[in-house]
């Protein structure tokens, strides 16, 4: 099963949809927006099923807020141990959190994320050859969104 999280282009609601293997339709349950896929979503294709963009990146399916909380907690606890002149405990705390990070990295599955619409696709096979995040590609899509949202000024005659 493929699970897709996206923002509906029509109603702008966050949606999570499970797509059955072999299905070629993506549908928003809120507004009945529908997208027909050229290829089934369970293939190793690296095209976004929501907007059709070919640029996607692979990342771990882990909430960034939890990761930032863990880094902050490690920093505070380690600093507290250094403040108490216990360097062994300070380094032990940092190594403990590094071990937790490594274990989570090894067990968490990957998701594909679209640069254009930020749709998150999980459950695809590992054969999909998708690169890691590329800041240059992200900046290109960010600039595209800025240009798309700009309105051209009108010249008024006086």
């Amino acid at each position: 099963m493929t699970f897709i999280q996206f923002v509906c282009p029509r109603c702008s609601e966050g949606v999570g949809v499970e797509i059955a293997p072999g299905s070629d339709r993506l549908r928003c349950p809120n507004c009945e927006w529908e997208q027909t896929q050229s290829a089934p979503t369970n293939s190793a294709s690296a095209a976004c099923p929501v907007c059709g963009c070919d640029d996607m990146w692979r990342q771990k399916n882990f909430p960034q807020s939890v990761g930032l909380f863990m880094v902050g907690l490690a920093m505070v606890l380690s600093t507290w141990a250094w403040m108490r002149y216990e360097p062994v405990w300070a380094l032990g705390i940092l190594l403990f959190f590094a071990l937790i990070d490594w274990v989570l990295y090894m067990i968490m599955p990957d998701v594909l994320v679209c640069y254009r619409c930020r749709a998150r696709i999980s459950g695809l096979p590992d054969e999909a050859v998708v690169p890691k995040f590329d800041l240059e590609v992200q900046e290109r899509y960010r600039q595209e969104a800025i240009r798309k949202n700009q309105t051209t000024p009108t010249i008024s005659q006086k």
Side-chain angles (χ1 to χ4, degrees):
M1 278 280 190
T2 302
F3 187 74
I4 302 174
Q5 293 174 304
F6 63 98
V7 175
C8 177
R10 183 181 293 166
C11 67
S12 299
E13 292 290 323
V15 180
V17 177
E18 266 191 44
I19 305 293
S23 175
D24 65 345
R25 291 213 176 291
L26 180 63
R27 175 180 236 165
C28 174
N30 298 329
C31 69
E32 302 305 318
W33 169 84
E34 189 171 87
Q35 175 81 7
T36 303
Q37 307 301 313
S38 58
T41 56
N42 64 346
S43 71
S45 166
C48 177
V50 178
C51 68
C53 177
D54 289 334
D55 289 325
M56 299 187 76
W57 84 84
R58 183 180 294 270
Q59 75 177 31
K60 292 295 180 182
N61 193 12
F62 190 76
Q64 288 181 346
S65 58
V66 175
L68 288 174
F69 175 76
M70 288 175 52
V71 167
L73 183 62
M75 182 180 66
V76 167
L77 292 175
S78 176
T79 302
W80 179 77
W82 275 107
M83 181 187 72
R84 298 183 43 88
Y85 299 105
E86 297 177 5
V88 174
W89 276 101
L91 292 175
I93 289 168
L94 292 175
L95 288 174
F96 174 73
F97 277 97
L99 178 66
I100 290 174
D101 182 52
W102 180 76
V103 168
L104 288 173
Y105 181 80
M106 296 309 275
I107 66 172
M108 295 303 292
D110 286 344
V111 293
L112 300 182
V113 183
C114 177
Y115 280 103
R116 180 176 289 144
C117 69
R118 298 286 187 209
R120 297 173 57 87
I121 301 122
S122 60
L124 287 176
D126 290 332
E127 299 93 50
V129 179
V130 180
K132 300 278 186 190
F133 181 78
D134 184 358
L135 189 59
E136 183 178 345
V137 176
Q138 167 61 30
E139 183 63 18
R140 186 176 73 223
Y141 281 101
R142 188 182 78 81
Q143 292 293 328
E144 175 187 289
I146 290 171
R147 283 191 301 273
K148 186 176 173 182
N149 290 333
Q150 283 181 344
T151 57
T152 56
T154 58
I155 300 173
S156 61
Q157 299 203 5
K158 294 184 179 186

